[in-house]
Amino acid sequence: MDFAFPWPMSQGEWLAWSSAVVTALLGLLFFLAPALAFRVLRLQVKPEKAAAIAEGRGRMSGFYLGVGLCCILLAQPLIYMTLGFSWLFTAFGRLLSMMSDGANTPFNWVSIVVELALAALPLAFAFGFVP
């Protein structure tokens, strides 16, 4: 069995692939520079809590790298759907926090727009809205 890199061929695939690349790059940022990633997300890690850095390097980078790289390497509509729904639930969780936890800040509004865009790109391809 030959393994070939599945290069995107249609406009819809390019959109979904772009979301997967951004996701994988975020995963690399969490994997290689978790302290920087936390600063970008406006999260503060206490120096005596090294386990918080491990969460960023492990759990957060694991999701982003795993799903992003699977989309890039396998290029299957159902995997793109997984990526899209993951970003959609991320945006929903942020919206819920904005409504119930008093986290209604400009940073969260920008983040929710980015997350919805990262969700819409692969979902549009997976559901056939963009061929």
Side-chain angles (χ1 to χ4, degrees), residues 36-83:
L36 175 64
F38 281 133
R39 276 198 305 274
V40 169
L41 293 177
R42 297 181 174 190
L43 299 174
Q44 184 177 6
V45 178
K46 294 181 180 179
E48 65 273 8
K49 301 287 186 181
I53 294 291
E55 285 296 312
R57 210 182 283 271
R59 185 179 315 234
M60 295 172 87
S61 75
F63 162 74
Y64 290 137
L65 277 173
V67 176
L69 289 177
C70 279
C71 288
I72 291 168
L73 295 175
L74 300 174
Q76 298 294 315
L78 289 177
I79 298 175
Y80 282 127
M81 191 181 297
T82 300
L83 176 66

Side-chain angles (χ1 to χ4, degrees), residues 26-40:
L26 285 172
L28 277 176
L29 179 66
F30 273 108
F31 188 72
L32 299 174
L36 175 64
F38 281 133
R39 276 198 305 274
V40 169

Side-chain angles (χ1 to χ4, degrees), residues 108-126:
N108 278 335
W109 280 106
V110 170
S111 294
I112 203 168
V113 168
V114 169
E115 291 159 356
L116 287 173
L118 288 172
L121 297 176
L123 289 176
F125 170 68

Side-chain angles (χ1 to χ4, degrees), residues 1-6 72-74:
M1 178 167 96
D2 293 332
F3 182 76
F5 180 74
I72 291 168
L73 295 175
L74 300 174

Side-chain angles (χ1 to χ4, degrees), residues 7-18:
W7 198 250
M9 300 302 270
S10 67
Q11 181 182 6
E13 277 185 294
W14 275 108
L15 294 175
W17 186 84
S18 299

